[in-house]
Amino acid sequence: MSTSLEGRTVVVTGGGQGLGRAYAQRVAADGGTAVIADINTESGEKVAAEITEAGGNARFHYLDVGDQASCRAFAEFVDREFGSLHGLVNNAAIFSTIVMRPFWEIPVEEWDRLMAVNLRGPFLLTTALLPALRLGGDSSIVNVSSDAVWLGRAGYLHYTASKGGVTGMTYSMARELGGDGIRVNAISPGPTYTEVPRGTVSAAQKEAMHAAQALHRDAGPEDMVGVVAFLLSDDSRFITGQVLSVSGGLLHR
Ligand SMILES: NC(=O)c1ccc[n+]([C@@H]2O[C@H](COP(=O)([O-])OP(=O)(O)OC[C@H]3O[C@@H](n4cnc5c(N)ncnc54)[C@H](O)[C@@H]3O)[C@@H](O)[C@H]2O)c1
């Protein structure tokens, strides 16, 4: 299957590490320009340099997706440097740094910050980038949900609630932007292991997940990138408002 992104400019939020890094690398490998947006300037610049050193097109710009002024400044950068935009992967989230705990122990300040980034962030950034996405024509937005929503995974209620919100946002955004020819879908990964260590999956939980999946193995970024590239490309031109589980058959919906 061809997933050509030749000549396309695609913003990948949270592109400084983990899955976002892999999405940015894939955008460039498929001929597009990856615009990496991250709150971590050091890691974001490093990924952009890795891509350009490998012969691809990439740029980095600082973004705090939870902050409206930062989203607007980022959109100005996109306007100035690229004029229009063809794709947006709303991948940035507070995730690998989450401390698992019962919901009644989650500090309200942590709840608010996580919601600001994970849920308000895709709303703020998509809104700021809409003029550029409209100019791009046949643009595609890929939101990032999580199968943790459907599993009702315990230990990070703010996270599952935020990703449930991203799912609803995907359905509604697709309806509201269809008239502009802009598609909006979401990828919903199951547990996926990247170069980033994290405490959100214990060894026992990992075993239980393997058993619950139809495919009894770990997932890595390479299991996700093709799906995102497909959703960004014209190969998925008549798909919108869909949330695609990519979790080795963890769920049957
Ligand atoms: N890895 C998994 O198992 C898994 C499963 C389901 C869904 N997801 C989702 O996939 C996405 C990527 O996951 P990951 O494992 O790469 O996570 P990660 O925590 O390793 O990376 C998150 C990235 O987002 C950036 N970021 C955090 N706050 C930001 C902000 N305010 N503004 C801009 N950038 C910010 C971080 O600097 C980092 O580069 C997330 O949305 C996550 O919820 C991951």
Side-chain angles (χ1 to χ4, degrees):
M1 186 183 290
S2 134
T3 56
S4 176
L5 297 174
E6 204 66 50
R8 303 227 175 168
T9 305
V10 178
V11 168
V12 181
T13 68
Q17 68 177 41
L19 292 175
R21 172 174 174 246
Y23 299 147
Q25 288 169 335
R26 177 62 186 255
V27 165
D30 284 3
T33 297
V35 186
I36 296 157
D38 206 293
I39 200 166
N40 186 332
T41 298
E42 194 184 337
S43 63
E45 280 179 343
K46 190 160 166 257
V47 174
E50 278 168 14
I51 292 172
T52 48
E53 277 158 24
N57 292 319
R59 295 285 299 276
F60 169 78
H61 194 278
Y62 171 86
L63 172 71
D64 176 357
V65 80
D67 178 67
Q68 190 174 40
S70 182
C71 288
R72 286 177 173 164
F74 182 80
E76 279 167 23
F77 162 78
V78 168
D79 278 349
R80 200 169 56 241
E81 298 294 317
F82 304 101
S84 65
L85 194 61
H86 309 98
L88 166 62
V89 186
N90 279 315
N91 165 82
I94 296 179
F95 174 61
S96 60
T97 52
I98 292 174
V99 176
M100 304 294 275
R101 54 187 147 203
F103 72 81
W104 53 91
E105 290 178 10
I106 296 174
V108 71
E109 298 76 18
E110 184 179 312
W111 172 281
D112 287 347
R113 176 61 183 159
L114 187 140
M115 285 294 172
V117 173
N118 294 18
L119 183 56
R120 198 176 68 176
F123 154 68
L124 288 178
L125 187 65
T126 305
T127 301
L129 291 175
L130 258 187
L133 286 162
R134 286 192 172 113
L135 276 176
D138 298 329
S139 302
S140 170
I141 298 169
V142 181
N143 292 329
V144 177
S145 184
S146 169
D147 272 8
V149 173
W150 312 102
L151 291 170
R153 272 203 72 200
Y156 47 16
L157 191 77
H158 45 1
Y159 178 76
T160 53
S162 73
K163 293 298 183 178
V166 168
T167 298
M169 192 188 292
T170 301
Y171 298 142
S172 297
M173 273 185 178
R175 294 250 174 232
E176 294 197 40
L177 295 178
D180 291 319
I182 300 175
R183 299 182 297 110
V184 188
N185 294 289
I187 181 174
S188 182
T192 308
Y193 303 97
T194 72
E195 79 283 5
V196 180
R198 65 177 201 264
T200 46
V201 186
S202 68
Q205 285 167 338
K206 200 170 176 179
E207 278 311 302
M209 291 289 184
H210 280 178
Q213 290 170 200
L215 303 174
H216 307 298
R217 68 162 174 83
D218 280 355
E222 61 284 359
D223 294 305
M224 305 296 138
V225 291
V227 180
V228 169
F230 167 69
L231 291 174
L232 287 171
S233 80
D234 281 345
D235 287 339
S236 59
R237 71 183 69 179
F238 207 52
I239 300 179
T240 194
Q242 304 303 308
V243 178
L244 199 51
S245 280
V246 187
S247 55
L250 185 59
L251 300 172
H252 298 282
R253 278 186 279 134

